Amino acid sequence: MNSTKTRLAPFRADHVGSFLRPQRLKDARKKFNEGEISQEELTRTEDEEILKLIAEEKTAGLKSITDGEFRRAWWHFDFMQNLLGAELTEGEPYAFHDVTTRSHIVKINAPIRYNPQHPFFRHFTFLKEHTGEGFTAKQTIPSPNMFFNPKIRNTPVYPNLKDLAKDLSEAYRQTIRHFYDLGCRYLQLDDVFWANLVDKKQRENISNEGTDPDRLADLCTEVINNALADKPEDMLITMHVCRGNFHSSWIYSGGYDVIADALFAVNVDAFFLEYDDERSGSFAPLARSHEQNIVLGLITSKTGTLEDPENIRRRIREASEFVPLDHLFLSPQCGFSSTEEGNVLAEKEQWKKVKMMTQLAEEIWK
């Protein structure tokens, strides 16, 4: 990766990708799940709401445009289940700090393979067609590391974790190439699995299973780097790391110190890092990055309360003691709606935050 070349993205004010689902979209999805409307009718509603969202993103000052993940129920499962060899099934809910998710999990029932008919390719095509001149269509997908969740990876199909890593790298390599061929030049890998490796309790659980968490971190680096081995030079790929985001709650805690060397060895162009509260630790681990771009997730998507702009400026100054200001960017710590349920804030509060962020970034990096 050439970290010195000029890039159009990430933008000084960027975002993770998901936005609160409008009530009309929620109603349509409920009707579809209950058999009251067809897939065609649901898709038409999705299309119309995504067009409205694109306009809102532009009005708020964003240059990177996503579809808000409006066609998804989950930020990760919808993509994972559509790789060949995987399916969505009933499973144990994820336990967040004070709430639990629905009872779903992805199951590996055959070797993981690239799916040339993956629905996300159609979704991106629609987004790109409607993004417009002067803006960049941004595609978000879960990192291959999300398959390393012990509830998913412990399968008879892959008794050897290295074999799973190999197949994941190849499936993602081909998937990324397909996105590129469709015109995608800005792709983001969302990766919560790193949070397992910073959380003290989770590291103990991994060790108790007989796996070295540090070696697992190295495997996380390896699987992504292998997937990016032939990444086109003009395609920007970033990675977002957070500690869980569901209904304004979280799962993991811990600073980046313990994973910094493995994390910053990932050959992405920029890192979106959660930094909206004390659970993320200090900025000190950023000193171990390699002149990479760091998007600071200083704006919380979990509440509607606006941050104090001066506090954000102060924290950016603190981060610049470890990474030059020219390599720093600003974003929310996560999406506003990682699942279709969404975080606990109103749509108007969501957009106030985004507008405040874009205006603040313009002032700081003018």
Side-chain angles (χ1 to χ4, degrees), residues 9-64:
F11 298 93
R12 291 302 179 187
D14 216 312
H15 62 114
V16 172
S18 68
F19 288 99
L20 294 171
R21 311 307 200 255
Q23 189 59 49
R24 177 173 177 249
L25 181 56
K26 290 184 176 182
D27 292 343
R29 187 171 298 280
K30 183 174 184 292
K31 290 179 180 179
F32 173 75
N33 291 335
E34 294 175 353
E36 297 180 21
I37 64 173
S38 66
Q39 177 65 64
E40 183 181 359
E41 291 172 298
L42 174 61
T43 299
R44 184 163 56 248
T45 300
E46 291 171 343
D47 290 350
E48 292 168 356
E49 293 301 323
I50 288 169
L51 293 178
K52 293 177 187 176
L53 174 71
I54 290 172
E56 287 275 16
E57 291 177 84
K58 293 178 180 179
T59 298
L62 293 172
K63 294 297 183 181
S64 59

Side-chain angles (χ1 to χ4, degrees), residues 121-163:
F121 297 137
R122 298 194 303 275
H123 300 168
F124 174 76
T125 297
F126 179 88
L127 174 67
K128 189 174 187 305
E129 286 176 350
H130 294 91
T131 293
E133 292 294 325
F135 300 88
T136 299
K138 175 179 177 178
Q139 177 66 41
T140 64
I141 61 174
S143 161
N145 293 334
M146 297 310 300
F147 279 92
F148 289 152
N149 182 314
K151 297 177 183 178
I152 301 174
R153 74 171 185 253
N154 292 332
T155 167
V157 179
Y158 287 109
N160 187 324
L161 197 56
K162 280 280 190 178
D163 291 336

Side-chain angles (χ1 to χ4, degrees), residues 67-345:
D67 63 7
E69 301 179 6
F70 277 11
R71 303 187 199 274
R72 308 187 205 178
W74 303 82
W75 66 273
H76 52 342
F77 289 158
D78 292 67
F79 177 86
M80 295 165 70
Q81 74 184 77
N82 282 293
L83 289 176
L84 301 181
E87 66 173 347
L88 187 68
T89 185
E90 291 296 313
E92 185 179 340
Y94 284 90
F96 278 67
H97 182 59
D98 51 9
V99 66
T100 57
T101 66
R102 283 167 288 147
S103 303
H104 286 154
I105 196 69
V106 164
K107 178 182 178 182
I108 298 173
N109 54 27
I112 296 295
R113 298 288 185 265
Y114 152 73
N115 179 5
Q117 302 303 319
H118 200 296
F120 276 38
F121 297 137
R122 298 194 303 275
H123 300 168
F124 174 76
T125 297
F126 179 88
L127 174 67
K128 189 174 187 305
E129 286 176 350
H130 294 91
T131 293
E133 292 294 325
F135 300 88
T136 299
K138 175 179 177 178
Q139 177 66 41
T140 64
I141 61 174
S143 161
N145 293 334
M146 297 310 300
F147 279 92
F148 289 152
N149 182 314
K151 297 177 183 178
I152 301 174
R153 74 171 185 253
N154 292 332
T155 167
V157 179
Y158 287 109
N160 187 324
L161 197 56
K162 280 280 190 178
D163 291 336
L164 172 59
K166 180 180 178 181
D167 282 354
L168 285 170
S169 292
E170 180 59 17
Y172 269 75
R173 186 191 67 79
Q174 294 183 64
T175 298
I176 291 169
R177 171 54 71 169
H178 194 146
F179 276 121
Y180 179 83
D181 291 342
L182 291 173
C184 180
R185 295 298 182 268
Y186 188 3
L187 184 137
Q188 174 182 295
L189 301 172
D190 294 317
D191 198 331
V192 176
F193 189 75
W194 288 104
N196 281 266
L197 304 174
V198 304
D199 188 283
K200 183 178 179 181
K201 182 178 180 182
Q202 293 299 320
R203 289 180 67 87
E204 291 175 353
N205 291 341
I206 292 170
S207 296
N208 291 337
E209 291 175 358
T211 302
D212 181 342
D214 292 328
R215 296 186 112 183
L216 190 51
D218 290 338
L219 187 61
C220 287
T221 302
E222 179 182 320
V223 72
I224 296 178
N225 285 348
N226 286 341
L228 302 182
D230 60 353
K231 179 179 83 70
E233 186 71 9
D234 62 339
M235 185 180 196
L236 180 91
I237 296 185
T238 63
M239 184 170 71
H240 164 240
V241 178
C242 84
R243 291 155 181 77
N245 184 58
F246 172 74
H247 205 60
S248 293
S249 190
W250 50 272
I251 302 181
Y252 310 111
S253 294
Y256 297 98
D257 312 66
V258 71
I259 62 166
D261 290 337
L263 180 69
F264 294 125
V266 177
N267 292 326
V268 291
D269 297 288
F271 296 88
F272 281 71
L273 299 181
E274 179 181 44
Y275 266 117
D276 64 327
D277 63 24
E278 67 283 352
R279 288 182 302 106
S280 300
S282 75
F283 294 125
L286 300 182
R288 290 150 71 181
S289 63
H290 309 293
E291 296 186 356
Q292 294 146 317
N293 290 328
I294 306 294
V295 188
L296 299 171
L298 299 173
I299 311 293
T300 187
S301 67
K302 295 185 186 300
T303 74
T305 304
L306 281 177
E307 284 76 6
D308 178 356
E310 186 51 44
N311 185 52
I312 299 299
R313 291 190 184 94
R314 176 184 60 80
R315 298 206 69 199
I316 291 174
R317 287 195 298 269
E318 291 175 357
S320 69
E321 296 176 11
F322 304 97
V323 175
L325 183 62
D326 188 52
H327 285 280
L328 294 177
F329 303 76
L330 180 63
S331 80
Q333 104 288 347
C334 196
F336 290 92
S337 190
S338 297
T339 67
E340 59 187 336
E341 288 85 356
N343 283 342
V344 186
L345 73 163

